[in-house]
Amino acid sequence: MHAHTFQNVNPADSDDIIGLFPISNDDEVHAAVLAASTAFISWSKMPAPKRGDILRKAGDIFTRRKEELSAIMTREMGKPLFETLGDIQEAIDTAYYAATETRRLFGYTAPSEMDNKMNLSFRTPIGVCGIITAWNFPIAVPSWKILPALACGNTVVFKPSEDSPHSAHIFAEILEEAGLPAGVFNVVYGAGSTGSALVEHPSVKLIGFTGSTFTGKKIAERCGALNKKCSLEMGGKNAQIVMPDANIDLALDGVLWGAFGTTGQRCTATSRLILHKDIYDSFINALITKTTQIKLGNGSHPQTQMGPVINAKQLEKIQHYVAIARSEGATCVIGGDVEISGDCAKGNFYKPTIFIDVTPDMTIFKEEIFGPVLAVTKANSLDHAIKLANNCDYGLSSSLFTGNVDAAFRAIRDIEAGITYINAPTIGAEAHMPFGGIKGTGNGHREGGWTAFEIFTEWKTVYVDYSGSLQRAQIDNY
Ligand code: NAD
């Protein structure tokens, strides 16, 4: 057995120990990076469409193992089965997308400014990529990074969250079965110190990170000092705006799914609801009624709509924020406590919680909680609502419910966020579209679709001079 291990426990049932996983030390991280560096030599030279064939096969295996993997993921991180099935579907979509992209890793050609000279540019792989992720999308989020990285000819060392090592293990099994050569994809396990060893390793050329803004900024500092490429997908404090002319039933369904889907543990979760004053009271009343109907429980039971939070530490963090919200004068209209009855007795359950009369100076308006806690604020107008939405350090997702097309286009233009939904909740990204945020959420990169391929490639520019003479650019032609 490995000298140092950590326990993986079902967040819905503390008696259910999933297994012991190794804490990879510096030597093991080094061995994984060495394997990836060695494998890079041949993998990077394999014709890209052949790499695509392996990724397509991985998509087929994810499809075959979808139900089984969904049960494993629900047991490991708690969200209900219908959500974990969606998580895997995102990996399937990403695998097939990445496979087709290997036939389309386009570069640019442009005319030369000189006679008898040709200018071209090519995408080239970067080398060993270190991938570090959070636990809330244990298969989807790693797939967004790993599959495009591999398609581009890079090799990977993956450090999954310490809260979802089992899903990562299955991810590796699937890539192996798909025919990925040894050393192209490697997994190291553990918490921050294992991730840090990966960041520090001189042969790791790129870090792709998903997690909190706190950790992401620390990683970015180190990558800056070490001159490594670094893409960051970090926290959010996403707002849904509802105007009086909206389809109110749709807006209610939207906020329920946005705020309490995945137990509020999505970077894109709706954690702020901004209601126009004309519908403020009626909307809140309807929302409370609907929230009481949410079925909390073990995600592996088919009737469960909302599962546990990931661990005891996160449960404490939620309690801490709820206490602050109360002390700062927000009004809790539903929830506001842990759930310990029935099915929930042995897990980390928190009731769906709504605070109203939240003002921009309050902590729960500003800080990411990452739990089922919704902060409701009143707006006087669309402009006021957009101003409130933008009054935030993060800039990931946003949403507006309205029946007015002019309002929709103004919001699309004026809301400061990487993603804006019209008449849909703040969650629901599709795998082939750019994903990411501005302000405290990101550092200028986007995952998803074609934009991920920008992260995982370098450019090689080639000039071919067939004039037979020395042509000095900018000098001989002007
Ligand atoms: P976290 O920042 O605590 O951990 C994320 C990962 O970083 C884990 O694998 C962790 O082990 C590792 N890590 C921690 N310290 C490290 C260090 N010093 N060096 C290297 N690696 C280190 O985040 P979390 O609590 O696991 O996840 C929740 C956060 O993730 C939330 O803020 C959420 O918004 C964010 N998130 C963002 C996105 C997105 O796409 N923007 C998606 C999912 C989650």
Side-chain angles (χ1 to χ4, degrees):
M1 200 172 85
H2 197 274
H4 299 284
T5 55
F6 64 99
Q7 241 182 18
N8 186 14
V9 184
N10 181 342
D13 179 358
S14 57
D15 289 345
D16 181 21
I17 311 297
I18 295 161
L20 291 179
F21 286 80
I23 301 173
S24 307
N25 60 27
D26 287 4
D27 289 344
E28 287 156 333
V29 171
H30 177 68
V33 175
L34 197 64
S37 300
T38 307
F40 179 74
I41 297 164
S42 51
W43 180 249
S44 58
K45 292 192 180 67
M46 183 187 280
K50 279 212 169 303
R51 296 196 295 258
D53 291 343
I54 296 174
L55 296 175
R56 190 174 306 103
K57 186 106 185 286
D60 294 343
I61 303 166
F62 272 117
T63 306
R64 190 190 79 219
R65 297 186 67 177
K66 190 172 174 184
E67 302 269 330
E68 172 213 348
L69 183 46
S70 155
I72 288 171
M73 213 193 302
T74 291
R75 182 179 173 208
E76 176 165 62
M77 55 70 68
K79 65 188 176 189
L81 292 171
F82 68 91
E83 289 199 39
T84 48
L85 286 169
D87 194 308
I88 298 154
Q89 187 57 44
E90 223 162 304
I92 295 166
D93 296 341
T94 302
Y96 292 143
Y97 185 92
T100 57
E101 199 64 34
T102 57
R103 290 187 179 268
R104 208 171 31 218
L105 288 171
F106 293 137
Y108 299 91
T109 60
S112 168
E113 62 185 50
M114 324 283 271
D115 287 338
N116 298 320
K117 194 175 166 197
M118 186 182 284
N119 296 353
L120 317 116
S121 62
F122 300 91
R123 289 179 185 279
T124 59
I126 293 176
V128 179
C129 299
I131 303 296
I132 301 172
T133 55
W135 49 268
N136 60 339
F137 281 84
I139 295 290
V141 164
S143 81
W144 285 3
K145 300 174 193 294
I146 292 164
L147 303 179
L150 296 175
C152 293
N154 304 287
T155 55
V156 168
V157 180
F158 174 35
K159 207 299 282 174
S161 167
E162 54 275 34
D163 285 306
S164 55
H166 194 193
S167 301
H169 179 80
I170 308 286
F171 200 110
E173 267 183 18
I174 288 174
L175 289 182
E176 190 176 22
E177 189 190 332
L180 208 66
V184 172
F185 178 69
N186 310 272
V187 186
V188 291
Y189 297 96
S193 60
T194 309
S196 176
L198 195 55
V199 172
E200 297 296 328
H201 198 291
S203 299
V204 174
K205 303 298 179 201
L206 174 150
I207 295 292
F209 170 80
T210 294
S212 64
T213 300
F214 176 78
T215 307
K217 280 181 169 172
K218 277 206 295 200
I219 289 177
E221 269 180 41
R222 291 304 300 149
C223 287
L226 298 166
N227 194 26
K228 295 185 184 200
K229 195 170 182 181
C230 162
S231 81
L232 305 172
E233 296 290 343
M234 303 181 285
K237 189 75 192 172
N238 316 288
Q240 173 178 318
I241 300 172
V242 186
M243 296 300 287
D245 54 24
N247 175 337
I248 297 296
D249 286 336
L250 184 65
L252 279 164
D253 286 345
V255 71
L256 283 166
W257 175 227
F260 303 126
T262 326
T263 320
Q265 303 169 112
R266 286 193 187 211
C267 50
T268 50
T270 309
S271 51
R272 293 183 297 150
L273 174 65
I274 300 174
L275 296 175
H276 189 276
K277 60 178 172 24
D278 293 352
I279 50 157
Y280 189 77
D281 293 330
S282 58
F283 195 97
I284 289 167
N285 287 337
L287 184 59
I288 293 169
T289 306
K290 289 207 174 221
T291 303
T292 55
Q293 292 158 11
I294 294 175
K295 288 192 184 60
L296 204 59
N298 189 320
S300 58
H301 301 161
Q303 73 278 12
T304 296
Q305 292 172 316
M306 191 177 109
V309 302
I310 187 67
N311 53 36
K313 197 169 147 222
Q314 185 56 26
L315 201 62
E316 275 171 34
K317 186 176 166 198
I318 296 168
Q319 286 173 298
H320 169 72
Y321 273 112
V322 165
I324 293 178
R326 287 197 165 106
S327 73
E328 289 180 350
T331 308
C332 184
V333 289
I334 185 166
D337 206 353
V338 293
E339 177 64 74
I340 50 168
S341 67
D343 193 22
C344 300
K346 289 187 190 159
N348 311 313
F349 289 92
Y350 203 86
K351 293 175 181 162
T353 296
I354 301 174
F355 278 93
I356 62 167
D357 301 335
V358 174
T359 51
D361 53 313
M362 292 181 186
T363 307
I364 59 162
F365 186 90
K366 295 188 261 195
E367 293 186 16
E368 184 184 47
I369 301 171
F370 222 56
V373 181
L374 179 69
V376 189
T377 303
K378 192 187 286 185
N380 302 322
S381 62
L382 178 66
D383 284 346
H384 184 211
I386 292 175
K387 206 169 156 202
L388 286 166
N390 290 344
N391 185 354
C392 175
D393 290 339
Y394 297 100
L396 181 51
S397 189
S398 56
S399 136
L400 170 70
F401 282 80
T402 181
N404 179 332
V405 70
D406 297 347
F409 277 96
R410 270 174 52 207
I412 291 168
R413 185 193 59 196
D414 294 339
I415 291 179
E416 297 166 0
I419 305 165
T420 296
Y421 292 89
I422 302 297
N423 294 327
T426 59
I427 66 180
E430 297 181 27
H432 59 294
M433 296 301 289
F435 180 91
I438 60 172
K439 295 157 92 174
T441 298
N443 67 338
H445 296 283
R446 291 291 185 277
E447 299 188 330
W450 62 96
T451 42
F453 292 82
E454 296 292 345
I455 298 173
F456 294 107
T457 47
E458 277 288 2
W459 285 101
K460 162 73 69 78
T461 305
V462 178
Y463 299 99
V464 183
D465 191 322
Y466 51 97
S467 68
S469 55
L470 176 68
Q471 301 195 84
R472 296 175 301 176
Q474 295 95 37
I475 296 170
D476 293 335
N477 49 340
Y478 287 104

